């Protein structure tokens, strides 16, 4: 009998053990034919349940997902799954879902495309009603989107007025703030105990943001004396002039409610003295105040929107049986007491009873944990459409924006092409009341080309875009000052006046330095009657341009700086356009 080799036996035994282990691991996760079940870059093999949520729910969704995925959940079939979160403005959530559904109907997108979200949430029931209404028009009789009451509540945050303590004290004495804002010019006009300072007001764009749409609806409701659900299309045309008077006090619009609230803290009362925001936004701002910054208070209107944020699980072809089961488990998890406590710690009110409010629901953080108000219900979808049309075409505050375009030699190739495409989209979507002054600069600073939203104006703008050529240096500071000087001389009364700068390089060859430019721009900022805001975009790779300089130009003048590249510039400019 041959003597056995002990080393060989050990190796064979180890190999067999490894083989059995791998086989066992493989048997635990059952593959499916769903394209949404795939191996990702982090080697996850399973089903990804995508949640597309409004921005107010974004942090809650992401933090919940992190905790949920640590559990490594599996379906009864053995298929692993996890949740992922994407946040957008609520109007953008609705637009995205409807766009995907239209592609499905036309046959250009399969039902199992991973682009479809499994669970949808918007930051209030007006946009949810719009999603239901428009999906039913697209697919009559199918009822792909459940009714509002059939969508479980995840959290809520009432709409409030945000103001500093001295302003808030007076606002609390006003029964109908929006009605008073129709005629009031100063805070003393609202309440005799308030300071005699001008009213400067902010809310987000209702076409993109839930808080903006709820605010616009509340304005129509208050000036008409009707509850939102009783408003008619005729009421919109009857009362749009009063709403326009409120809109005249706007500093700027925007997509993000939280960003507007933070900007109020950063820029002070001469930038905006009142904002329509979520209660949670007030908590967030007061949580992040720097030493010396003013604390803000939430003023609760006697009637307002609760901003119910619900989990919408479509009964639609793009939600597979496995996704539906996984989605239901995720919703159950999001409504569990432990995770609901996470929502309250973020400043949201819970979606289920019996969960205590978070530690920041106190006067120290500007809110009233026991606030009482009459909760508004959504208006009819056709009335909402009429209000949005009225806002865009009539009530919205007009704008004059000077767009300063860097066409220096470093913009050659893909950069200049992407900028041309983006500007073309910007120009084609100009509102009837909006104006642009387009300035092209390199070593030279060319005279502005002034256009409006008419067909003739857009054609003139598109000609400017097609003539852009990349060549020469980057007289950034001189071009910035030239744009401001032109706007000073052509200031548009009762409008949002702003400068938007797009550059990919550091300044070279200007006759002034950054410090001189900063001092000069202060003369036309929000502490003056001119109120000219600045927004800057650094285009390309940081290192090619000076982000600190661009941020300084913007932040000192009531705007902000963003970084863009050929892939992101279109979305970035689309968001910027909503500011005005």
């Amino acid at each position: 009998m041959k003597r056995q080799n002990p080393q060989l036996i050990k190796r064979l035994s180890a190999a067999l053990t490894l083989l059995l282990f791998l086989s066992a691991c493989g048997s635990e996760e059952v593959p499916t034919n769903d394209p949404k079940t795939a191996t990702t870059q982090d080697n996850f093999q399973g089903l990804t349940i995508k949640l597309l949520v409004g921005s107010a729910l974004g942090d809650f969704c992401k933090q919940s997902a992190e905790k949920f995925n640590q559990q490594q959940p599996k379906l009864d079939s053995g298929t692993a799954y996890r949740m992922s979160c994407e946040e957008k403005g609520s109007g953008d959530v609705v637009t995205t879902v409807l766009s995907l559904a239209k592609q499905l109907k036309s046959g250009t997108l399969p039902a199992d495309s991973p682009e479809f979200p499994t669970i949808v949430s918007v930051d209030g029931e007006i946009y949810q009603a719009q999603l239901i209404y428009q999906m039913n028009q697209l697919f009559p009789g199918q009822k792909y989107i459940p009714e509002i009451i059939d969508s479980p509540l995840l959290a809520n945050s009432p709409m409030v007025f945000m103001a500093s303590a001295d302003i808030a004290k007076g606002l609390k004495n006003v029964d109908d703030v929006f009605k008073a804002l129709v005629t009031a010019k100063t805070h003393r006009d609202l309440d005799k105990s308030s300071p005699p300072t001008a009213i400067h007001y902010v809310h987000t764009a209702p076409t993109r943001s839930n808080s903006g749409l709820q605010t616009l609806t509340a304005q129509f409701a208050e000036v008409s004396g009707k509850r939102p659900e009783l408003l008619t299309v005729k009421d919109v045309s009857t009362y749009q002039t009063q709403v326009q008077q409120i809109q005249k006090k706007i500093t700027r619009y925007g997509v993000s409610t939280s960003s507007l609230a933070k900007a109020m803290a950063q820029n002070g009362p001469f930038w905006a003295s009142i904002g329509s925001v979520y209660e949670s936004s007030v908590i967030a701002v007061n949580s992040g105040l720097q030493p010396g910054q003013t604390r803000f208070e939430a003023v609760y209107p006697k009637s307002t929107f609760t901003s119910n944020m619900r989990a919408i699980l479509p009964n639609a072809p793009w939600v597979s049986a496995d996704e539906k089961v996984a989605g239901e488990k995720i919703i159950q998890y999001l409504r569990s007491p432990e995770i609901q406590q996470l929502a309250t710690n973020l400043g949201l009110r819970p979606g289920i009873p019996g969960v205590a409010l978070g530690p920041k629901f106190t006067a120290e953080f500007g809110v009233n944990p026991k606030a009482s108000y009459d909760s508004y219900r959504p208006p009819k979808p056709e009335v909402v459409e009429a209000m949005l049309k009225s806002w865009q075409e009539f009530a919205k505050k007009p704008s004059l924006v000077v767009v300063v375009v860097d066409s220096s030699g470093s913009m050659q190739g893909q950069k200049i092409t992407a900028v041309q495409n983006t500007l073309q989209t910007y120009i084609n979507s100009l509102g009837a009341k909006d104006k642009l002054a387009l300035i092209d600069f390199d070593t030279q600073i060319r005279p502005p080309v002034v256009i409006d939203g008419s067909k003739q104006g857009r054609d003139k703008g598109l000609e400017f875009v097609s003539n852009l050529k990349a060549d020469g240096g980057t007289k950034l500071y001189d071009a910035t000052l030239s744009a401001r000087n032109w706007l000073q001389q052509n200031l548009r009364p009762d409008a949002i006046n702003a400068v938007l700068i797009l550059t990919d390089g550091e300044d070279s060859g200007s006759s002034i330095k950054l410090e001189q430019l900063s001092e000069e721009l202060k003369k036309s900022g929000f502490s003056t009657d001119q109120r000219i805001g600045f927004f800057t975009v650094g285009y390309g790779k940081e290192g090619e341009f000076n982000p600190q300089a661009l941020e300084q130009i913007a932040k000192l003048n009531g705007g902000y700086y963003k970084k863009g590249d050929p892939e992101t510039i279109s979305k970035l400019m689309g968001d910027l356009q909503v500011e005005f």
Side-chain angles (χ1 to χ4, degrees):
M1 183 175 179
K2 292 183 180 180
R3 183 178 176 183
Q4 293 178 335
N5 186 331
Q7 293 297 326
L8 179 61
I9 292 174
K10 282 183 180 180
R11 289 172 186 167
L12 288 172
S13 176
L16 181 60
T17 301
L18 179 61
L19 181 61
L20 290 171
F21 174 77
L22 291 173
S23 298
C25 289
S27 66
E28 288 178 3
E29 295 181 359
V30 178
T32 73
N33 294 322
D34 191 342
K36 299 176 188 178
T37 303
T39 301
T40 61
Q41 291 182 348
D42 59 356
N43 292 321
F44 173 74
Q45 293 182 328
L47 187 63
T48 295
I49 304 301
K50 179 179 176 181
L51 280 73
L52 179 59
V53 303
S55 56
L57 208 61
D59 287 342
F60 170 65
C61 187
K62 290 170 186 174
Q63 292 185 28
S64 300
E66 184 177 353
K67 287 180 174 290
F68 182 78
N69 294 338
Q70 288 173 356
Q71 300 177 0
Q72 299 182 344
K74 293 181 181 179
L75 299 175
D76 292 342
S77 63
T79 300
Y81 69 100
R82 66 178 180 181
M83 63 181 285
S84 69
C85 296
E86 181 183 359
E87 64 174 281
K88 293 185 175 185
S90 293
D92 294 341
V93 170
V94 172
T95 300
T96 298
V97 174
L98 290 171
S99 174
L100 294 170
K102 288 174 183 176
Q103 292 176 62
L104 172 68
K105 186 172 184 178
S106 67
T108 57
L109 189 70
D112 57 6
S113 168
E115 292 184 49
F116 279 106
T118 303
I119 298 172
V120 176
S121 180
V122 288
D123 294 337
E125 292 175 355
I126 302 181
Y127 263 123
Q128 186 170 352
Q130 288 301 107
L131 178 60
I132 294 169
Y133 174 69
Q134 293 184 47
M135 191 67 76
N136 287 344
Q137 287 187 317
L138 189 60
F139 295 98
Q142 298 300 315
K143 297 185 178 180
Y144 285 159
I145 305 299
E147 294 299 320
I148 290 175
I149 58 172
D150 295 326
S151 298
L153 185 64
L154 297 178
N156 70 81
S157 189
M159 290 296 302
V160 300
F161 294 108
M162 172 174 157
S164 58
D166 58 334
I167 299 296
K169 182 180 178 181
L171 285 179
K172 291 174 183 177
N173 297 328
V174 183
D175 284 338
D176 300 304
V177 175
F178 285 133
K179 188 178 290 186
L181 283 176
V182 173
T183 56
K185 294 183 179 180
T186 70
H187 285 282
R188 187 159 291 175
D189 293 337
L190 294 175
D191 180 78
K192 291 181 180 179
S193 67
S194 296
T197 52
I199 297 169
H200 300 301
Y201 176 48
V202 289
H203 69 70
T204 54
T207 50
R208 300 279 299 276
S209 166
N210 174 72
S211 72
L213 181 55
Q214 290 183 155
T215 297
L216 181 66
T217 303
Q219 290 172 7
F220 272 104
E222 206 164 284
V223 300
S224 68
K226 289 187 171 184
R227 291 186 59 82
E229 65 268 26
L230 299 178
L231 287 169
T232 65
V233 172
K234 184 179 179 180
D235 289 331
V236 174
S237 59
T238 300
Y239 295 102
Q240 64 180 356
T241 302
Q242 287 97 311
V243 170
Q244 184 187 53
Q245 294 303 310
I246 300 172
Q247 295 288 313
K248 284 182 177 180
K249 298 168 179 67
I250 285 286
T251 295
R252 81 167 197 239
Y253 298 101
V255 178
S256 169
T257 312
S258 62
S259 293
L260 275 186
K262 290 175 184 176
M264 285 184 67
Q266 175 185 317
N267 297 317
F270 291 108
W271 186 82
S273 52
I274 309 176
S276 285
V277 302
Y278 299 120
E279 177 189 58
S280 59
S281 302
V282 180
I283 294 175
V285 165
N286 285 329
S287 299
L289 289 179
Q290 300 299 312
Q293 283 189 314
T294 303
R295 190 178 66 84
F296 289 87
E297 292 184 15
V299 177
Y300 299 82
K302 66 179 183 181
S303 299
T304 191
F305 282 99
T306 305
S307 311
N308 287 328
M309 305 164 198
R310 298 178 178 274
I312 305 166
L313 183 58
N315 299 307
W318 58 83
V319 179
S320 68
D322 277 354
E323 287 177 308
K324 187 174 181 63
V325 172
E328 289 170 346
K329 290 181 180 293
I330 287 172
I331 293 171
Q332 184 179 6
Y333 177 80
L334 293 175
R335 284 169 51 83
S336 66
E338 176 191 356
I339 301 304
Q340 284 288 295
Q341 196 66 62
L342 177 63
T344 68
N345 290 341
L346 290 168
L348 298 169
R349 293 183 180 249
I352 63 171
V355 176
L357 294 178
K360 293 184 178 180
F361 277 88
T362 64
E364 179 186 355
F365 290 92
V367 300
N368 180 1
K370 297 181 179 179
S372 62
Y373 53 87
D374 178 24
S375 184
Y376 277 149
R377 294 173 60 190
K380 299 179 184 69
E382 58 269 24
V383 174
V384 175
E385 290 182 343
M387 286 191 294
L388 289 173
K389 183 178 180 182
S390 167
W391 180 78
Q392 289 175 297
E393 297 179 1
F394 182 83
K396 177 181 178 287
K397 190 171 185 176
S399 65
L400 172 55
V401 181
V402 183
V403 181
V404 184
V405 185
D406 178 354
S407 61
S408 59
S410 57
M411 289 288 288
Q412 286 182 354
Q414 186 182 8
K415 284 184 180 180
I416 195 71
T417 301
V419 167
Q420 286 175 310
N421 291 336
T422 300
L423 287 175
Q424 180 175 315
T425 302
Y426 194 132
I427 291 165
N428 282 331
S429 58
L430 269 182
K433 300 172 67 177
D434 299 326
K435 290 185 177 181
L436 286 183
L438 301 160
I439 295 180
D440 165 24
F441 82 95
D442 42 53
T443 307
Q444 295 181 320
I445 302 167
R446 295 165 186 84
V449 175
V450 183
I451 67 169
D452 57 24
S454 67
K455 184 181 184 305
Q456 184 179 5
R458 288 196 297 269
D459 287 347
K460 189 177 177 183
L462 295 177
E463 182 181 0
F464 168 90
V465 171
S466 65
N467 289 332
L468 286 174
K469 299 290 186 294
D471 191 24
T474 312
K475 285 192 174 182
L476 172 62
Y477 300 157
D478 283 354
T480 300
L481 185 57
S482 176
R484 195 289 306 267
N485 291 344
W486 182 90
L487 190 51
Q488 278 185 316
Q489 296 164 10
N490 296 272
L491 208 65
R492 189 174 182 186
D494 298 321
I496 298 172
N497 293 276
V499 177
L500 171 57
I501 301 164
L502 179 64
T503 181
D504 79 327
E506 290 197 39
D507 178 82
S508 62
S510 285
S511 61
I512 59 170
K513 303 296 184 184
L514 177 61
E515 293 72 20
Q516 294 171 291
L517 174 64
S518 298
E519 287 301 315
E520 186 62 36
L521 296 184
K522 288 179 183 177
K523 299 175 183 178
S524 55
F526 285 90
S527 59
T528 72
D529 291 336
Q530 295 172 34
R531 299 178 62 78
I532 297 175
F534 277 76
F535 298 80
T536 56
V537 177
Y539 189 65
K541 299 177 182 177
E542 290 191 2
E544 297 175 344
F545 58 88
N546 186 341
Q548 289 77 25
L550 295 178
E551 189 165 14
Q552 182 173 329
I553 291 169
K555 280 197 170 182
L556 289 176
N557 297 280
Y560 54 76
Y561 154 76
K562 293 287 186 181
K563 180 184 177 299
D565 55 47
E567 287 71 39
T568 63
I569 189 65
S570 180
K571 181 183 183 305
L572 190 156
M573 291 288 282
D575 289 347
L576 274 166
Q577 190 170 11
V578 179
E579 300 288 347
F580 322 119

